[in-house]
Amino acid sequence: EIARFVQEKQRLVQLFARDNRALMQDYVSNLGDAVVYRQLAARVADYFPDHFTFALMDAEGRLLIDDFDGLIGELCLSDLHEFLETGRQRPRIHPHSEKYHFDVLAPLGADAAQGVFFISFHADILGRVLNAIQHPGHQLILVYPESGDLIEVTADGARINWMRDDYRIALEEKRRILHRQPMPGTRWEVIDLHIPQLFENYSRKLLGQSALIF
């Protein structure tokens, strides 16, 4: 479900970039044009009401449009440069003082040689996907394995919504992992933890049923 959700966002952003390429190129040719910028911002808001921000970058890695008020983080820049160099995008959660988010990128032309358009989406929307498919007695968690199983998103949303001292999966939690699955096209894995009482409650229920049958 998460992989399909991300793939669909990527498809929609690519379609948006294709359908609005002329407007983006108009802005690139007239940097700082407030009228063109407002037109582009309005279209982004119409197509993606759940977006956090958007930006344009040229093929040299220079930002051309900055909806972060100059506060684009290092992770955003790192992912943008990876896309310019390899054409791959592997979403991960980017912390921000306002909203934790993830980026979806699209080339401005046939490839990234003409620049990159990207939109950042609130990470909490991934939490809503997890919440919809999570079964009672289980906890579904997106983790970032490259950073020591850093918790990215839970059914409550981005990790900032899950109050704890350490946002990496603890040893006790690792003992409760039932399954872990890589998410194609992302940096994430999803893990399925059972709550501590799940099998204890199940065993008590079985014993009670057995006693009743006896």
Side-chain angles (χ1 to χ4, degrees):
E1 290 297 324
I2 291 290
R4 280 199 293 266
F5 182 86
V6 172
Q7 288 168 1
E8 180 63 9
K9 286 294 186 188
Q10 291 171 343
R11 185 184 72 84
L12 292 174
V13 170
Q14 289 169 0
L15 285 175
F16 180 88
R18 185 196 68 187
D19 293 345
N20 293 275
R21 188 167 296 155
L23 182 60
M24 294 181 188
Q25 290 173 343
D26 187 14
Y27 181 85
V28 171
S29 301
N30 301 278
L31 291 178
D33 189 318
V35 174
V36 178
Y37 172 81
R38 286 196 295 270
Q39 290 176 346
L40 183 57
R43 291 189 187 180
V44 170
D46 285 342
Y47 277 73
F48 305 104
D50 56 354
H51 84 287
F52 173 50
T53 192
F54 69 96
L56 289 171
M57 175 181 275
D58 66 16
E60 304 300 321
R62 293 185 294 265
L63 289 168
L64 304 176
I65 198 170
D66 180 4
D67 203 21
F68 278 82
D69 293 327
L71 297 178
I72 288 183
E74 292 182 4
L75 293 182
C76 294
L77 291 173
S78 175
D79 290 352
L80 282 164
H81 283 289
E82 179 182 2
F83 184 69
L84 282 173
E85 293 170 4
T86 67
R88 293 189 307 163
Q89 52 178 309
R90 298 182 299 153
R92 54 180 165 174
I93 302 303
H94 299 175
H96 190 272
S97 57
E98 292 184 27
K99 283 289 184 181
Y100 280 42
H101 56 275
F102 65 98
D103 294 343
V104 178
L105 305 94
L108 288 183
D111 53 39
Q114 297 182 41
V116 177
F117 169 69
F118 84 90
I119 296 184
S120 293
F121 293 96
H122 298 160
D124 288 348
I125 63 178
L126 298 174
R128 292 197 288 270
V129 177
L130 292 179
N131 186 57
I133 62 178
Q134 181 172 276
H135 289 283
H138 294 254
Q139 291 177 321
L140 295 178
I141 302 175
L142 280 185
V143 299
Y144 182 24
E146 297 175 36
S147 187
D149 279 345
L150 177 67
I151 295 171
E152 294 272 70
V153 181
T154 73
D156 296 321
R159 61 176 173 266
I160 195 66
N161 298 326
W162 203 17
M163 303 307 296
R164 53 190 285 159
D165 294 330
D166 186 356
Y167 286 109
R168 286 175 172 78
I169 298 298
L171 181 60
E172 184 275 331
E173 291 170 318
K174 290 183 178 180
R175 296 192 183 103
R176 295 190 279 114
I177 293 178
L178 297 172
H179 183 69
R180 61 189 304 157
Q181 175 76 33
M183 293 292 96
T186 77
R187 300 173 188 263
W188 300 318
E189 287 186 359
V190 65
I191 61 175
D192 177 11
L193 278 71
H194 67 80
I195 64 173
Q197 303 83 10
L198 179 63
F199 293 112
E200 181 181 334
N201 294 342
Y202 184 66
S203 298
R204 278 203 298 267
K205 184 178 179 181
L206 281 179
L207 288 173
Q209 291 174 340
S210 300
L212 181 62
I213 293 171
F214 180 76

